[in-house]
């Protein structure tokens, strides 16, 4: 039977958060037979501890991994070296350990020797926090009074206060919220920004928006830049900004039909 073993894992010594790095590994067939399968998948994981127990996870709670296909059988004593690109998580700082699991899926039959297919790198990757964008809304211009169903112009300015370029696209969201009942916001629309925004740069956008009908009250206008978090920011608590003045929406005059 074959016995696949990851005999070495070589990561870089240092990296920036969010950076793509190269991890190299060597897989050797320590068994007495050729692999029964010619194709299988190696996986690379990242862990915060040297034992490989605390693996970096996806937002849904599953382990984050990077898959690399191997093609061709491996004879006894044979080996191959592979280098794969792995992305360090955004916002992470500290030590990370690379883990390689050979034949993670679709591997050859190894009898009782399939418990040694995982190896953790002996040296950590020293991850430093990379500069990030910081998008915020720095100006909003809108009418202070309007009627329901009326078309109005709203202008807003977004500034990148961070130290890195914000890469598009992302969406800005506009909504109205009652000052006395904020639980029922009125969505005004979402608007896509396609181009990048360099550190310290701004963009100003004006949209003609038709207000919803059959509602009235005093409202606060909110602009949320990058509302779906398409751009990674170390601090996105300032993406949602209210207008500094309120908008009073009144009912437009209606017809009054009467049977005479």
């Amino acid at each position: 039977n074959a016995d696949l073993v990851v005999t070495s894992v070589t990561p870089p010594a240092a990296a920036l958060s969010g950076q793509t790095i190269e991890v190299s590994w060597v897989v050797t067939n320590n068994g007495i037979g050729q692999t029964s399968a010619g194709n299988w998948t190696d996986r690379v994981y990242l862990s915060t501890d040297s034992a490989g127990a605390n693996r970096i996870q996806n937002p849904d709670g599953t382990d984050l991994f990077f898959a690399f296909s191997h093609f061709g059988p491996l004879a006894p004593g044979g080996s191959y070296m592979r280098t794969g690109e792995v992305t360090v998580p955004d916002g992470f700082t500290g030590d990370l350990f690379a883990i390689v699991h050979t034949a993670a899926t679709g591997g050859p039959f190894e009898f009782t020797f399939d418990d040694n297919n995982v190896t953790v790198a002996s040296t950590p990757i020293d991850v430093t926090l990379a500069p990030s964008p910081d998008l915020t809304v720095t100006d909003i211009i809108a009418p202070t009074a309007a009627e329901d169903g009326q078309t109005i112009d709203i202008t807003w300015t977004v500034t990148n206060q961070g130290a890195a370029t914000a890469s598009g696209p992302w969406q800005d969201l506009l909504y109205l919220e009652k000052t006395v009942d904020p639980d029922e916001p009125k969505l005004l629309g979402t608007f896509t920004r396609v181009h990048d925004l360099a550190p310290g740069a701004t963009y100003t956008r004006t949209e003609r928006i038709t207000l919803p009908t059959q509602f009235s009250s005093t409202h606060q206008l909110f602009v949320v830049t990058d509302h779906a978090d398409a751009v990674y920011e170390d601090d996105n608590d300032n993406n949602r900004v209210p207008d500094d003045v309120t908008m009073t929406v009144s009912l437009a005059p209606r017809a009054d039909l009467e049977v005479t």
Side-chain angles (χ1 to χ4, degrees), residues 6-78:
V6 182
T7 50
S8 70
V9 180
T10 307
L16 294 174
S17 58
Q19 179 184 5
T20 297
I21 60 174
E22 289 189 345
V23 177
S24 299
W25 64 97
V26 175
V27 175
T28 302
N29 182 1
N30 284 347
I32 59 174
Q34 179 172 284
T35 54
S36 59
N39 306 326
W40 58 85
T41 299
D42 294 344
R43 288 181 176 179
V44 179
Y45 300 84
L46 296 171
S47 176
T48 58
D49 70 300
S50 59
N54 297 321
R55 296 182 178 182
I56 299 296
Q57 295 189 324
N58 295 304
D60 62 1
T62 59
D63 288 340
L64 171 69
F65 65 84
F66 304 85
F68 304 92
S69 299
H70 170 78
F71 300 99
L74 201 59

Side-chain angles (χ1 to χ4, degrees), residues 6 41-45 55 99-104 114 117-119:
V6 182
T41 299
D42 294 344
R43 288 181 176 179
V44 179
Y45 300 84
R55 296 182 178 182
I99 309 165
V100 177
H101 184 176
T102 187
D114 58 355
N117 289 23
V118 180
T119 297

Side-chain angles (χ1 to χ4, degrees), residues 81-157:
M81 186 181 74
R82 182 71 187 268
T83 298
E85 291 189 343
V86 174
T87 302
V88 178
D90 283 316
F92 183 86
T93 181
D95 286 345
L96 279 181
F97 291 84
I99 309 165
V100 177
H101 184 176
T102 187
T105 58
F109 178 69
E110 299 184 67
F111 191 49
T112 60
F113 305 114
D114 58 355
D115 59 350
N116 57 357
N117 289 23
V118 180
T119 297
V120 183
S122 59
T123 56
I125 307 165
D126 181 14
V127 180
T128 304
L129 191 66
S132 78
D134 181 13
L135 298 175
T136 189
V137 181
T138 50
D139 189 34
I140 302 173
I141 301 174
T144 57
E147 295 179 344
D148 71 319
Q150 181 182 348
T151 299
I152 61 173
D153 287 341
I154 297 177
T155 301
W156 68 98
T157 299

Side-chain angles (χ1 to χ4, degrees), residues 144-194:
T144 57
E147 295 179 344
D148 71 319
Q150 181 182 348
T151 299
I152 61 173
D153 287 341
I154 297 177
T155 301
W156 68 98
T157 299
V158 174
T159 302
N160 180 2
Q161 299 180 149
T165 296
S167 298
W170 65 86
Q171 287 189 328
D172 294 343
L173 179 146
L174 278 62
Y175 70 93
L176 287 172
E177 187 177 84
K178 283 185 179 180
T179 56
V180 295
D181 185 10
D183 294 332
E184 296 182 3
K186 296 285 186 181
L187 176 66
L188 300 182
T190 56
F191 306 92
T192 301
R193 165 75 180 185
V194 176

